Amino acid sequence: MNKSCFKRFGIMLDCSRNAVMQVSQVKKMMDYMCAMGYNAVMLYIEDTYEVDGEPYFGHQRGRFSKAELKEADAFCRENGVELVPCIQTLAHLNAMFKWINQYGCINDTADILLADDDRTYKLIDEMLATLAECFTTRKIHIGMDEAYMVGLGKYRDKHGDTDRFEIINRHLHKVCDMADKYGFKPMIWSDMFCKLAVSSSDYYSTANLEAIRKKADLPENVTLVYWDYYSTDYNHYCNMIEKNKAFARPVVFAGGAWTWKGFAPGNQFSFDTTLPAVKACRDRGVKDIFFTMWGDNGGECSRFAVLPALCYSAELLEGNENMSDAKARLKAVTGMEFDDFMLLDKLDNPTEKLDYNASKYLLYCDPFMGAYDSKITCGVNGYYKELYKKLSAIKATDDYKPYFESAAALADVLSVKAELGIKTRAAYLAGDTKALKCIAENDYTAAIEKLRAFHTKFRKFWFFENKPHGFDVQDIRLGGLIMRLESCRDRLLEFCDDTEKKIPELSEPVLENDRSKSWDNIVTANVI
């Protein structure tokens, strides 16, 4: 395999989950991508771009101005990189729908636009007109993924029960016709079309080619993007590529450079999924491939934290599986050591039992509720203490110092906070007021002080890479955590002075749970 096997290979920068990148940082990423051999960048902007005639669209979200989009586009064009807008024209518009008076009338349900409504298509036309002005490319990603409830809200009230594949396909035809008016060649995420074509929520395992072919009347000018970030099985990718090809339209593959777990990247898992995916794309004739960097649930992770994954992917695209060459490439491009970046993964790997975004749920897990304490074992505090030392010792360049300092400060918090709930509950159930007082006065106080220090470092990183909008959410989350720890500390001290003042939460058993590890599910079982 060599690079000529792939016509277009790029990345996708998520600028819609609160973390809208500074244009200077977008340019820096473009420089790195050029140096690694990538030739395309998608800018994922749900409502975070200026649209003529729509003052509420992206208001207070740090949206890109038209001037900023043109600046980024010109920079890419000068450096041989194609900048492609990646928007949404059906679902994933929940932030926009907060403006009820402006957009409630075209809200089908949840985060979904109302199909077959003239007001919806007026808005989409305004989107396309703005993007046609700001971007040189005539390629555009129009989204349409994960619209699970399409046709089940206002649409059903207005039109009655309707074949949902027909709704989404008719909507797609309309949007593609509108895109054609501006010379755009649209692409879409393929998941909803595959799922609705076979009436299955899990087309990854149940879809069949014949059922898809029967409903494959998609617009002639559309390209399907098959996204898959989870499998390490070569045959799985091959099978899914064939299912997407059943629509008889061009197919692009989107893999993942894992930035969406929480504070820490997932470079190693990105390696494990990308290798079989690239091989399958080569063997099944997929010519275009890109790697997404999502920012789910807050956008805490730096996009630059997955540079190891992007370097390795660049080598794979050239047919080279040698990790040492990826390490050399990263050093040449950034001046930083590959293994220093890999330490960032370690924030989520303190023990084999802890999984996914451990640093996020250990940080936000309530010390009295203990929702995730069943996953924690003694020694986790010590793990983070050692990781803090290692991260602090890294001599990062100015381009990366804010993120490494933030990561080190998080490890420092977790060196106290990770086991706080376990230690608190054990001492309370044992009736050991002496131990509880020590925990309250020392551990809780230390955790609060370290949290304040982390907040300062995290804020510095955020404002270095992103626009300020969206950090209000981090202020609320971290500020709430500090206040909660202060409240818990005070209640512990009150109990130590008067053991008749029970703490009911600490008397409840800690149960295994499989709740989603997003912030709202981590912090409480109650309603937010």
Side-chain angles (χ1 to χ4, degrees), residues 271-286:
F271 302 157
D272 296 342
T273 55
T274 300
L275 177 59
V278 170
K279 287 182 175 179
C281 287
R282 173 201 63 192
D283 293 345
R284 297 302 186 202
V286 174

Side-chain angles (χ1 to χ4, degrees), residues 195 198 200-208 236 239-240 243:
K195 290 174 182 178
V198 297
S200 170
S201 62
D202 184 16
Y203 89 105
Y204 286 98
S205 60
T206 60
N208 64 80
H236 166 85
N239 291 335
M240 288 309 304
K243 288 174 182 177

Side-chain angles (χ1 to χ4, degrees), residues 5-6 9 18 42 80 87 119 123 142 160 173 175 185 223 225 235 282 318-319 439 471 500 502 516-517 524:
C5 295
F6 296 96
F9 33 95
N18 296 347
M42 287 189 182
I87 65 169
R119 293 166 296 184
L123 174 62
I142 57 174
H173 275 267
V175 176
K185 296 179 180 179
T223 292
V225 180
N235 290 324
R282 173 201 63 192
E318 296 173 354
I439 292 169
F471 197 75
E500 293 300 314
K502 303 297 183 184
S516 162
K517 296 183 180 68
T524 184

Side-chain angles (χ1 to χ4, degrees), residues 70-84:
K70 291 176 182 178
E71 179 185 348
D73 182 74
F75 182 86
C76 288
R77 188 170 65 252
E78 291 167 4
N79 289 277
V81 174
E82 185 177 23
L83 185 64
V84 179

Side-chain angles (χ1 to χ4, degrees), residues 436-469:
L436 274 181
K437 187 172 184 179
C438 182
I439 292 169
E441 292 179 341
N442 297 323
D443 294 47
Y444 277 79
T445 299
I448 291 166
E449 291 175 351
K450 291 176 186 295
L451 263 173
R452 293 187 185 280
F454 168 61
H455 175 268
T456 299
K457 296 293 186 182
F458 187 48
R459 182 177 61 193
K460 181 179 179 181
F461 146 67
W462 184 285
F463 281 64
F464 181 77
E465 185 167 316
N466 304 310
K467 296 187 177 187
H469 307 76

Side-chain angles (χ1 to χ4, degrees), residues 8 32 71 74 80 95 97 103 114-115 119 136 150 158 179 207 212 257 301 319-320 344 361 526:
R8 184 171 293 100
Y32 291 160
E71 179 185 348
F97 287 127
Y103 299 114
L114 180 61
R119 293 166 296 184
T136 304
V150 65
K158 186 175 180 179
I212 289 174
C301 184
N320 181 15
L344 299 171
Y361 68 73
N526 293 301

Side-chain angles (χ1 to χ4, degrees), residues 174-207:
K174 290 180 180 179
V175 176
C176 285
D177 285 345
M178 296 167 69
D180 188 61
K181 181 176 75 171
Y182 293 99
F184 279 128
K185 296 179 180 179
M187 62 187 86
I188 59 170
W189 307 108
S190 67
D191 57 306
M192 285 307 302
F193 295 88
C194 289
K195 290 174 182 178
L196 291 177
V198 297
S199 301
S200 170
S201 62
D202 184 16
Y203 89 105
Y204 286 98
S205 60
T206 60

